[in-house]
Amino acid sequence: MIARHGLSASKALGQNFLLDGQLLDRIARVPGDLSGQRVYEVGPGPGGLTRALLGAGALVTAVERDRRCLPALAELNEAADGRLSVIEGDALAIHEAEAVGAGAHIVANLPYNVGTALLVRWLGGETWPPWWRSLTLMFQQEVAERIVARPDTSAYGRLAVLAQWRSEAKLAMKVHRSAFVPPPKVMSAVVHIVPKAAPEGVRAGTLEALTAAAFGQRRKMLRRSLQSLPTALGALETLGIDSERRAETLSVGEFAAIARAMDA
Ligand code: SAM
């Protein structure tokens, strides 16, 4: 398909394609049984993962920037009896909930910077549960580890708190760099994220400001790193949390409790 449509990988678009059918089927199984389910795929490229998602019985809406991929995707759509609809454009610019509709599983293998920007958007906002049902996302392994990290590790930071305070985030599988064409420099991993009940009375905006300050100076004690947020310092006192601790020692639950107390 790639050769027939002349789809040489573009470095500028962060294109590293997956072509191993068995591996792609395994990724398509990460969100669970997709038969009759709606899936939003970001960056389908020539459609390796799209084919696996359609093979699993999903109805797929895909957004792709590279118009060279559109004929290959049109072929896939024909073979799948019209279960694939493709939007040509930038995933960062489209209004997804409207384009895709609520309740879709999101699946993506994206360039690192686009993937992280979308993840932060999908995990943010005051409305919870979100419009999507689950996220199955390929990242550089180092980023995947930051998303699922536990306290008291060097990988634990903003991304972990953001991903875990009202979602379950798991590392679903590691993917060797040699599985991609062309192979990227680093290893990759698939992360699976499912929303859970949000803790009562916690605003996402407050938690984001809190984690940005706390991890902005992660080596400092909280009483220093949170100096710009007096309400956070007050919350530490109210909750009896030692202000000489560092951000990476606080559990996700403690961050949520501090954010709640900041708005109380
Ligand atoms: N999903 C395919 C696979 O697994 O083989 C392709 C993966 S490749 C790493 C990333 C794809 O995302 C490319 O096809 C690229 O053109 C597309 N892409 C990059 N930035 C994008 C954006 N902002 N919006 C939509 N697609 C984008």
Side-chain angles (χ1 to χ4, degrees):
M1 179 93 88
I2 290 177
R4 200 149 41 79
H5 292 282
L7 296 176
S8 55
S10 146
K11 216 172 173 183
L13 285 171
Q15 292 179 336
N16 303 93
F17 301 135
L18 284 171
L19 308 173
D20 175 340
Q22 279 186 9
L23 175 69
L24 289 162
D25 285 342
R26 276 177 61 208
I27 298 173
R29 281 198 293 271
V30 169
D33 181 7
L34 289 181
S35 179
Q37 299 275 314
R38 274 179 313 106
V39 169
Y40 174 46
E41 189 192 0
V42 191
L49 184 53
T50 322
R51 183 193 294 262
L53 295 165
L54 292 166
L59 289 95
V60 181
T61 302
V63 56
E64 173 57 60
R65 255 187 111 148
D66 185 354
R67 56 172 20 204
R68 295 178 310 152
C69 298
L70 301 186
L73 295 169
E75 258 180 48
L76 274 183
N77 183 35
E78 247 175 67
D81 303 322
R83 281 186 290 121
L84 170 63
S85 99
V86 180
I87 302 167
E88 182 196 344
D90 180 351
L92 292 163
I94 72 166
H95 195 300
E96 305 150 319
E98 264 170 33
V100 186
H105 297 273
I106 300 182
V107 179
N109 170 20
L110 280 167
Y112 157 69
N113 55 341
V114 181
T116 313
L118 285 171
L119 174 70
V120 170
R121 183 205 283 176
W122 291 328
L123 293 173
E126 304 301 336
T127 309
W128 207 258
W131 64 273
W132 46 270
R133 182 165 296 188
S134 75
L135 306 176
T136 299
L137 310 172
M138 178 87 72
F139 285 103
Q140 296 178 6
Q141 190 175 317
E142 177 254 324
V143 178
E145 280 165 359
R146 285 204 271 134
I147 294 167
V148 303
R150 300 289 176 226
D152 283 318
T153 63
S154 58
Y156 184 66
R158 269 185 81 194
L159 219 41
V161 178
L162 199 60
Q164 295 173 34
W165 74 282
R166 51 184 181 177
S167 301
E168 293 288 347
K170 289 202 180 95
L171 211 148
M173 57 196 274
K174 292 185 180 173
V175 182
H176 198 272
R177 50 188 288 278
S178 63
F180 296 87
V181 179
K185 288 202 179 73
V186 292
M187 299 295 205
S188 296
V190 175
V191 171
H192 186 227
I193 298 176
V194 180
K196 64 181 182 188
E200 287 279 313
V202 181
R203 281 190 63 254
T206 307
L207 189 67
E208 276 163 31
L210 171 66
T211 51
F215 288 107
Q217 297 175 292
R218 60 182 297 141
R219 284 171 190 284
K220 299 222 166 111
M221 293 177 190
L222 293 168
R223 65 180 157 80
R224 292 292 296 279
S225 57
L226 297 180
Q227 237 166 11
S228 58
L229 283 179
T231 53
L233 291 175
L236 291 182
E237 210 170 309
T238 313
L239 296 168
I241 294 175
D242 184 354
S243 65
E244 298 206 337
R245 286 170 64 184
R246 295 191 172 85
E248 67 185 30
T249 71
L250 292 179
S251 68
V252 174
E254 284 177 311
F255 273 111
I258 297 168
R260 181 190 297 114
M262 284 168 72
D263 287 328

